[in-house]
Amino acid sequence: MNTVHLNKTTNQLVGTLAVPGDKSISHRSIIFGSLATGITEITNFLTGEDCLTTIAAFRAMGVDIEQTGERVIIRSKGYHELKEPNVPIDLGNSGTTARLLLGVLSGLDFHTTLFGDQSLTKRPMDRINDPLREMGALIDGREQGKYLPIAVRGQVLQPITFRPKVKSAQVKSGVLLAGLLAEGETTVIETTKTRDHTENMLQAFGAEVNVNGLAITIKGQQSLRGTAIQVPGDISSAAFFIVAALLVKDSEITIKDVGLNVTRTGILDAIETMGVSLDIAETAHVGGEVIGEINIQHQVAKASVIEGEIIPRMIDEIPILALLATQAEGRTVIKDAEELRFKETDRIQTVVDTLTAMGANIVATADGMVIEGPTPLHGATLDSYGDHRIGMMIAVASLIAEGTVILTDAAAINVSYPQFFDHLALLQNR
Ligand code: S3P
């Protein structure tokens, strides 16, 4: 399915959907399960390419990981027993694997080489390597370790108090993982709260972690205990269908068993500030994560200004929100989102280029975009640029565009949502 032809939908979207497991939580379940002693059983694991990359990395370090679809069983003897991999580790497209793994490898007593695909090779690693070096990590790579390929020789790490300059859960998590292996107590103090799955999951694995507002402290050299992890549905994947249902006339869908962790629900808040009402209900709490249901009916949105603390809570949803804004009444301004330039693609540029090619009125700014709506969209030949979220944004845009959209490199979507087109068909053909 590398090139797909997509046409405006003649059907409204109707039905109930469970989106696949959360990408961030799936990665972490493999990492913590591999570092823990005992058995970890994961259900609703995301089988997207990025998370399979994390499994392969820990298998290369000798961890017994049995994966059957969305069920994963990890049998590990704990982080002291991880082995030096005898080949370089391929991180594919996965920034999360790269940043979190660098934290782990810095404190393990062996040598590893990491490399990635073209996109990952351009993404900055100094943001994590700088604090790790401060802890005593021995890391080298292209441009002094700013970019992959990178080699790590694990050391006995010293604790630090770290105030990240970038708002990044990956960086926070990489340092906390290094802190887990270090001597003494490591503290990360954020300026804005980013997704807190690492903190939640460390506690689920029995670690002592203290969260005090924006400060997180972890005691070093603790052992983790294997546990059961139920991965909630990924709100970042759900966002594509939430916006699709808002855009396509007469639609009404329900997304069930989706993660509603408040550090991830910025997209729901942003949509509500655009005058849209969503029906949201919490149904369960598991492993420090909230799970619930969202009901969405077709509605016309109004423009809004999206900025500040909400941005890290919806960083991956900005491409799909930009599409919604092209159909909203008025001028939508997205600010404080310069981090988008460091994702799988420069998502300010790729969103603006893609939606402009479809007829939208959208301009890029240094830290976001300005969108005037509503504007009719039309078909075009568009590339995902190898970015899963750009691919899915294009597919959703095609549902309301006049004429055919030809999407090339649609396979990029497999990174986080291999069932995306099947789920779309399910909602279209009720
Ligand atoms: C992630 C954090 C975010 C997000 C990425 C997953 C994570 O990146 O964009 O898709 O699992 O920690 P940053 O923390 O670098 O912003």
Side-chain angles (χ1 to χ4, degrees):
M1 68 140 197
N2 233 13
T3 296
V4 293
H5 292 240
L6 302 161
N7 287 300
K8 186 170 173 174
T9 188
T10 48
N11 296 347
Q12 68 264 54
L13 305 179
V14 181
T16 299
L17 190 67
V19 293
D22 188 272
K23 182 159 81 67
S24 294
I25 297 176
S26 294
H27 279 302
R28 286 162 175 75
S29 65
I30 299 298
I31 297 171
F32 295 126
S34 298
L35 299 180
T37 308
I39 298 178
T40 292
E41 186 173 346
I42 308 163
T43 47
N44 200 37
F45 177 75
L46 171 63
T47 58
E49 285 165 3
D50 267 15
C51 297
L52 298 180
T53 292
T54 298
I55 290 188
F58 282 93
R59 279 185 179 149
M61 290 183 263
V63 183
D64 174 2
I65 307 179
E66 191 185 313
Q67 184 227 336
T68 320
E70 292 157 4
R71 184 158 180 266
V72 183
I73 298 177
I74 304 174
R75 294 177 188 86
S76 180
K77 297 196 181 100
Y79 53 80
H80 293 296
E81 298 297 317
L82 295 191
K83 303 264 176 315
E84 179 171 271
N86 47 22
V87 289
I89 295 182
D90 184 355
L91 303 175
N93 193 244
S94 182
T96 308
T97 316
R99 272 71 174 251
L100 272 61
L101 205 54
L102 280 162
V104 172
L105 295 172
S106 293
L108 295 176
D109 184 24
F110 52 72
H111 174 269
T112 323
T113 306
L114 305 173
F115 70 101
D117 72 3
Q118 253 188 31
S119 151
L120 191 59
T121 302
K122 291 189 203 130
R123 296 179 66 185
M125 296 297 152
D126 48 345
R127 51 180 54 200
I128 178 67
N129 290 340
D130 289 349
L132 293 175
R133 282 169 167 159
E134 218 183 296
M135 297 175 81
L138 216 54
I139 296 173
D140 201 5
R142 207 160 53 84
E143 295 194 23
Q144 279 80 48
K146 181 166 183 192
Y147 298 111
L148 293 167
I150 286 174
V152 187
R153 156 96 30 213
Q155 301 294 308
V156 177
L157 300 176
Q158 298 310 308
I160 53 167
T161 295
F162 173 54
R163 292 183 163 76
K165 284 193 224 52
V166 286
K167 298 174 183 69
S168 164
Q170 294 180 352
V171 171
K172 168 178 67 178
S173 302
V175 172
L176 290 174
L177 281 163
L180 173 73
L181 307 178
E183 293 177 328
E185 281 188 353
T186 294
T187 300
V188 180
I189 306 172
E190 297 190 283
T191 53
T192 310
K193 187 107 180 144
T194 62
R195 64 189 68 190
D196 61 0
H197 308 302
T198 295
E199 297 88 305
N200 293 341
M201 205 179 281
L202 276 166
Q203 286 169 3
F205 277 89
E208 216 180 287
V209 185
N210 192 284
V211 180
N212 187 359
L214 294 168
I216 307 124
T217 300
I218 184 163
K219 205 174 93 198
Q221 302 186 341
Q222 311 181 58
S223 46
L224 304 182
R225 264 191 327 272
T227 189
I229 299 286
Q230 181 194 334
V231 181
D234 196 329
I235 185 137
S236 299
S237 298
F240 293 96
F241 290 112
I242 294 172
V243 169
L246 291 175
L247 292 178
V248 176
K249 277 212 175 73
D250 300 329
S251 295
E252 177 169 1
I253 68 166
T254 299
I255 301 188
K256 59 173 189 176
D257 302 332
V258 65
L260 293 177
N261 177 322
V262 71
T263 63
R264 296 286 299 283
T265 49
I267 181 64
L268 305 180
D269 298 343
I271 286 175
E272 285 180 334
T273 67
M274 295 174 83
V276 164
S277 68
L278 300 167
D279 199 354
I280 305 164
E282 291 183 6
T283 53
H285 284 69
V286 266
E289 299 290 338
V290 185
I291 296 182
E293 227 172 69
I294 310 169
N295 178 270
I296 309 104
Q297 295 174 12
H298 165 70
Q299 287 160 73
V300 178
K302 288 195 282 292
S304 183
V305 178
I306 316 284
E307 62 182 334
E309 68 78 38
I310 197 174
I311 296 291
R313 297 173 52 233
M314 58 175 292
I315 192 72
D316 292 338
E317 291 70 72
I318 291 173
I320 195 65
L321 187 89
L323 171 64
L324 180 66
T326 68
Q327 304 309 304
E329 201 65 61
R331 170 181 293 188
T332 294
V333 182
I334 300 170
K335 291 186 202 170
D336 303 322
E338 59 284 341
E339 269 302 301
L340 285 177
R341 297 207 180 267
F342 306 103
K343 297 297 176 188
E344 286 80 336
T345 55
D346 171 348
R347 285 186 178 152
I348 294 179
Q349 206 53 54
T350 48
V351 165
V352 168
D353 289 350
T354 303
L355 293 176
T356 301
M358 299 187 79
N361 185 346
I362 177 168
V363 292
T365 61
D367 66 347
M369 41 198 120
V370 178
I371 305 147
E372 298 279 352
T375 44
L377 299 183
H378 56 73
T381 298
L382 300 162
D383 193 49
S384 70
Y385 300 102
D387 184 334
H388 52 132
R389 301 203 197 278
I390 300 298
M392 289 187 275
M393 180 195 72
I394 293 170
V396 174
S398 78
L399 300 173
I400 54 161
E402 285 304 331
T404 302
V405 168
I406 301 174
L407 169 61
T408 58
D409 195 5
I413 292 172
N414 293 335
V415 157
S416 66
Y417 203 159
Q419 315 85 330
F420 176 79
F421 285 107
D422 296 339
H423 285 184
L424 179 58
L426 216 83
L427 296 177
Q428 284 177 300
N429 300 321
R430 286 283 157 140

